[in-house]
């Protein structure tokens, strides 16, 4: 294993410190306990948005803290949920009196720890709610969760809910906007290689040079099945068809097409996947009216990609287009 680290046990803390220094105009990093907040603190009268999860998925979640998205993000150890004593201070820091919404990916540790933290801050008088993201169509249950996993669709939830909060919607309306995205977004991924967790020092799973893992999770969880290496167009169909079928897309609908890299795949290859996924949607009569391509929800250095489709309506399109300024997403 070769990585640009010092002591693997210090990897998350040192990465957070550098992240905070590099983006001091946008975020503030707190190290004891570790969490990230929007520079300047909570915005008066605005619903606060908080998310988090294991590190190793950068830029998720800290990279999405800023105007138009999150007010705080909580990083756990690599591929490990943050603890309630990290999450609760982040929830409190994001509260300016209008309440706080926690956006939680559906992994058992994240769900339990965020639930506990929400209860703790509610006991202190903070009005809080939570939304569960479960966009992965690959499996119903995995090593890490009961039900579908939360993966790249989380970016769509954070962006659209963040825009609703930024324009002044109340807590119930922001939560409703988030749940609307959850109900209309689906994802599926593929791994070409495994990743190596720094403190473990070996690949998360064994994958032959002539094999692909279809339906992989963002922690190296097993997918639906293994298949022989195939051309990009064939692999893209294996990802896009289950997503579109699960959404029940009809001809004439508008969608956002999001092709996400897992950390080790060149952007040039992600555009090859996007090209085919868009064509497959157009063959169904579906209009791709918004797009996102890049590394946004990664799995350390894993080679692979995921395809996410979000059904759009006028409201979700408006919120997607609203201004955003974070380290990883800005327009």
């Amino acid at each position: 294993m070769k990585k640009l680290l010092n002591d693997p046990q210090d990897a998350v803390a040192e990465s957070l410190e550098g992240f905070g220094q590099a983006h001091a105009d946008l975020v503030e990093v707190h190290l004891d306990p570790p969490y990230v907040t929007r520079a300047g603190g909570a915005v008066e009268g605005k619903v606060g948005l908080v998310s988090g999860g294991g590190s190793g998925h950068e830029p998720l979640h800290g990279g999405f803290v800023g105007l138009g998205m999150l007010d705080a993000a909580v990083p756990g150890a690599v591929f490990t949920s943050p603890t309630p004593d990290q999450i609760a201070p982040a929830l409190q820091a994001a509260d300016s009196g209008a309440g706080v919404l926690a956006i939680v990916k559906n992994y058992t540790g994240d769900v339990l720890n965020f639930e506990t933290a929400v209860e703790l801050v509610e006991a202190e008088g903070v009005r809080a709610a939570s939304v569960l993201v479960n966009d992965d169509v690959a499996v119903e249950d995995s090593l890490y969760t009961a039900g579908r996993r939360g993966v790249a669709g989380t970016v769509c939830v954070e962006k659209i809910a963040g825009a609703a909060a930024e324009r002044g919607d109340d807590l119930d309306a922001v939560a409703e906007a988030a749940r609307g995205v959850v109900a209309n977004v689906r994802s599926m991924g593929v791994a070409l290689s495994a990743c190596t967790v720094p403190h473990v020092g070996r690949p998360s799973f064994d994958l032959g040079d002539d094999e692909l893992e279809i339906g992989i999770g963002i922690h190296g969880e097993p997918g639906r099945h293994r298949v022989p290496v195939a051309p990009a167009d064939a692999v893209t169909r294996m990802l896009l068809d289950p997503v579109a079928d699960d959404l029940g897309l009809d001809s004439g609908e508008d969608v956002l097409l999001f092709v996400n890299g897992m950390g080790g795949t060149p952007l040039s290859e992600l555009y090859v996947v996007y090209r085919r996924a868009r064509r497959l949607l157009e063959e169904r009569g579906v209009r791709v009216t918004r797009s996102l391509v890049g590394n946004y929800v990664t799995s350390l250095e894993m080679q692979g990609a995921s395809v996410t489709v979000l059904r759009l309506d006028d409201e979700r399109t408006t919120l997607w287009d609203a201004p955003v300024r974070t380290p990883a997403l800005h327009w």
Side-chain angles (χ1 to χ4, degrees), residues 117-143:
V118 165
E119 291 172 1
L120 289 172
V121 299
E122 285 179 330
E124 297 293 325
V126 175
R127 185 174 175 226
S130 61
V131 170
L132 196 65
V133 184
N134 57 354
D135 55 306
D136 189 359
V137 304
V139 291
E140 283 297 333
D141 296 287
S142 76
L143 300 174

Side-chain angles (χ1 to χ4, degrees), residues 58-72:
E58 288 75 17
L60 193 79
H61 290 274
F64 301 125
V65 172
L67 183 146
M69 285 190 82
L70 299 177
D71 295 276

Side-chain angles (χ1 to χ4, degrees), residues 3 61 67 72 92 114 132 146 158 192 209 250 291 305 325:
K3 290 182 179 288
H61 290 274
L67 183 146
Q92 290 170 323
F114 268 90
L132 196 65
E158 293 177 354
L192 285 67
D209 290 341
D250 293 324
S291 305
R325 187 164 182 255

Side-chain angles (χ1 to χ4, degrees), residues 249-255 284-287:
L249 292 174
D250 293 324
S251 178
E253 291 196 275
D254 294 338
V255 300
R284 291 171 175 254
V286 174
R287 295 187 296 263

